[in-house]
Structure formats: structure tokens, C-alpha cells
Amino acid sequence: MALRGAHSLALALDRPNAGRRCVAARWNWGEAMERAKRSVLLPAALSLSIALSSGPTLLQARPEGVNKPELLPRSYTPVIDVAGFLSEGQEGRIAQEIKEIEELTGFKLRVLAQNYPNTPGLAIREFWKVDDNTIVFVADPSLGNILNFNVGASVDLNVPRSFWSRLAGQYGNVFYWREKGEDASIEAAVAAISSCLREPPGPRACSTIN
């Protein structure tokens, strides 16, 4: 499982033996918030003590109990925008792209746009039935880089881990989303993920961020 970002997720995917690996956010909420206060521009590769892990790890989210199912939509959707970054048309286009990706590859992209602490948090796990074929993309500008990813083990075997950090660096940096808008970052990231997942596996897979 590859995880970018942070407190934005508030997921705590507590499945110790579920085979999910991550570019893991192993951190403390107090430390994270102090770090955010000290610097708006957190380097993508270093923010919130992100570290590569060779085995299953857990996202340790603080504060505890970030679980707001009341923020979930009434009907199922692969795109949840509690922050209001996306227009209805944009949500529809992203949902259609996600449907095509899933039909073609079997991988499930899910998008959550939020501004912490306004997030459903843990509730999305059951709502989306997150598994090893799932990519949870959380768009949250709270700590500078807006692009955060939680990637299932099956996806991790097919997509180089460097892809996620390069994607965050290109479309998630604070200069990009402040100039073009949060919606532009989200749409660009979804397009890049779609392009990557459609590529045949191999040493050059996902080498270019489109």
C-alpha cells in the first residue's frame, strides 16, 4: 500500500494482515500539526515522516475516532467531495473515468476531496469496501501537497512506487494547485493515474506522468 500525505486521510486502515503496503505515514498528530505550522511547503518525499516499508504497515491516525459517516453521500459514488472543490460536471467526468478504469483493469480508484478535519475519515473504508485492488486518492491541501494516495497491495505490484511521489510532485505541489485550483490538481491526477493503469506492465510502465 502506498500512502502519501497524512492527517488528510484519517483512515487508519487497520488490517494488520491484509497484505496492504504503504509509503507509510508513521507519525504523531501533534508533531504533524507543529510541522505544518512551521512550514507550508513540506517536501513531498519527507512530509509527515513518510517512509517506504517492505511489509504490511498501518496508518496511525490521530486524533482517534475520526469517523463521520454523516458526511458520506446517501447513495454510492466513487467520488466524494466534502470540500466543494469539484463541480457536478467534474465529479461526473471523474466517476466515468473511474468506471472505465475498473472495467478495463480491475483496479478501483476512489476519490475523496476534503479539508481536514471536515472528512468522513474511517467511514470510507466500509463505504468503498477498500481492498487490495483499491487506490484511495485523498485530495486535501491542508499540509501543502494536495495529493495523497493509499494503494492496495495488488496495485503496488503493478505500479512503481516512484509514480506516486512523482505524481504528487508534479500536480500536487502548492504552487500548482494555488495557481490552477484544487479541481485542476484532482483532474490532472486522475488522468495521470488512468493513463498509468492502462499501460502494459514492464520496466518502463508509468515512467511518464501524463
Side-chain angles (χ1 to χ4, degrees):
M1 167 176 80
L3 180 64
R4 298 282 319 156
H7 79 292
S8 60
L9 287 174
L11 293 181
L13 293 173
D14 51 353
R15 300 167 61 200
N17 299 306
R20 297 183 63 82
R21 296 187 296 172
C22 67
V23 177
R26 297 196 190 106
W27 52 284
N28 174 279
W29 275 91
E31 292 174 358
M33 295 311 296
E34 285 303 313
R35 202 170 299 158
K37 292 175 184 176
R38 289 196 299 268
S39 175
V40 174
L41 303 178
L42 296 180
L46 299 177
S47 63
L48 300 178
S49 303
I50 291 169
L52 285 171
S53 171
S54 59
T57 59
L58 301 180
L59 170 62
Q60 299 173 352
R62 298 291 186 275
E64 297 177 358
V66 180
N67 185 16
K68 300 178 181 179
E70 67 272 15
L71 294 181
L72 293 171
R74 293 183 178 180
S75 58
Y76 184 86
T77 174
V79 183
I80 301 174
D81 182 15
V82 294
F85 295 147
L86 303 169
S87 68
E88 185 176 337
Q90 287 172 316
E91 285 192 37
R93 288 194 296 272
I94 292 172
Q96 180 59 36
E97 185 70 29
I98 289 172
K99 180 181 178 182
E100 293 176 6
I101 293 170
E102 192 165 344
E103 290 175 348
L104 182 64
T105 70
F107 294 128
K108 303 183 294 183
L109 176 61
R110 302 293 181 260
V111 179
L112 171 63
Q114 65 177 44
N115 257 318
Y116 182 84
N118 188 38
T119 172
L122 285 165
I124 69 169
R125 182 183 57 185
E126 287 302 317
F127 183 80
W128 279 335
K129 306 299 181 186
V130 173
D131 60 19
D132 289 342
N133 289 322
T134 306
I135 303 162
V136 177
F137 165 22
V138 178
D140 188 329
S142 298
L143 290 179
N145 197 302
I146 194 173
L147 304 185
N148 309 276
F149 306 104
N150 180 306
V151 178
S154 296
V155 184
D156 193 40
L157 292 174
N158 287 271
V159 179
R161 295 184 179 183
S162 62
F163 170 78
W164 306 106
S165 58
R166 288 185 287 112
L167 177 56
Q170 183 160 329
Y171 294 129
N173 70 80
V174 67
F175 301 106
Y176 187 93
W177 65 259
R178 281 186 176 173
E179 178 183 352
K180 298 182 180 297
E182 295 92 344
D183 59 329
S185 287
I186 294 169
E187 288 194 297
V190 170
I193 294 169
S194 176
S195 177
C196 167
L197 294 178
R198 293 168 188 265
E199 292 183 24
R204 298 288 296 172
C206 305
S207 59
T208 302
I209 304 295
N210 296 318

